[in-house]
Amino acid sequence: MKRFTVISTLVAAVGVVSAILMTNKAESNAQSGNTIATAYSVSVVTANKQNISENFSLVGTINANNDVVIMSETSGRVVKVNAEVGEFKQAGSVIVEVDDELKEAAFKTAKMTYDKAKKDLDRFESLYKEGSIAESQIEQSRWSFQNAEAQYIVARRQYRDTKITTPISGIVTARPVNIGSMLQGAPQPSVVANVVDISKLKVKINVGEKDVFKLKVGDKVTVTTDVYPGVAFEAKIATISSKGDDAHTYPVEVAMDNSAKNPLKAGMFGSVSFRPSNSIENILIPRESVVGSTKNAKVYVVENNVAKLRAVTIGSEVGTSVEVLSGLKVGETVVVNGQNNLKDNASVVVRK
């Protein structure tokens, strides 16, 4: 009996000890498992303000300062050609001449009629002042003179139109007519030539609504081309349109002098580098720290080893970083790596 009691006591003691050990192990495992499940290792950056450059570049087409298609204002046969493609012509130079025999005759007749009507009017005005003729006679003389003058002006213009001139100084880039070609006047005038002035050039580009307000007329810009690598042409903004297109871009023209050393031609591509004078300081963070799209951006901010999900407003992209307009303060710690496994208010361990 005594022996049985001793054995029972030993068995009970072993059971108590085993229970205590199992309880301690469970607590230890629970604590260890909780730490692994809720603490995530992350890399962070500190949000700081930086000077953000407003510079940007756009590609546009280089155009001539003036590009004129010369049309015929008279009908007739071409009898003389005074310009070849590639030639430079001063403003007022005759490009082609049209047969003017009939128009010259009409002009001379109109001029003689005009001269006679003018002399008659001068004589009748003197007689009228003296009271020698009736008022109806002076009125008739005045009407005759005005009619003769109108016919003279028309005939003179038609005669002058037989010599087709260029209104601008420039290079002839096309001349589709030759001696013997028949030209038509209005309403469907014939094309005589195309003349371009490339002493000055214009680069036409479309600037987005976000950037157009950074620009103003007169701002200096730089133009580069693939034709002359490493050569930068100085230019300035000539015009900024007040009306945008369907893509919310605004036409901008950049004016520049053509270079004698490195001449450019109309139709080339040119890259325009804008350098707005105003610069701003704002918070920049790496692009990879942003959760979601930039339109609905969020970041994880670490406070006391806890990652808190916060909405932010993103502005411009600057290289591999993005500008934060609101939602973040200077000095706050932002998760830049490891946020894919995080949830709001998750515990984190910051990697050094």
Side-chain angles (χ1 to χ4, degrees), residues 306-326:
V306 176
K308 296 185 178 181
L309 190 61
R310 187 186 299 175
V312 294
T313 303
I314 298 299
S316 304
E317 292 193 15
V318 183
T320 58
S321 300
V322 292
E323 176 189 14
V324 180
L325 301 178
S326 64

Side-chain angles (χ1 to χ4, degrees), residues 39-51:
Y40 298 93
S41 178
V42 295
S43 297
V44 297
V45 294
T46 302
N48 290 314
K49 279 190 175 183
Q50 296 184 33
N51 192 14

Side-chain angles (χ1 to χ4, degrees), residues 6 9 32 46 50 60 89 146 176 214 221 238 249 289 298 320 345:
V6 172
T9 302
S32 176
T46 302
Q50 296 184 33
K89 290 293 180 179
Q146 291 175 354
K214 302 174 185 176
V221 299
T249 62
S289 63
K298 296 180 180 179
T320 58
N345 292 319

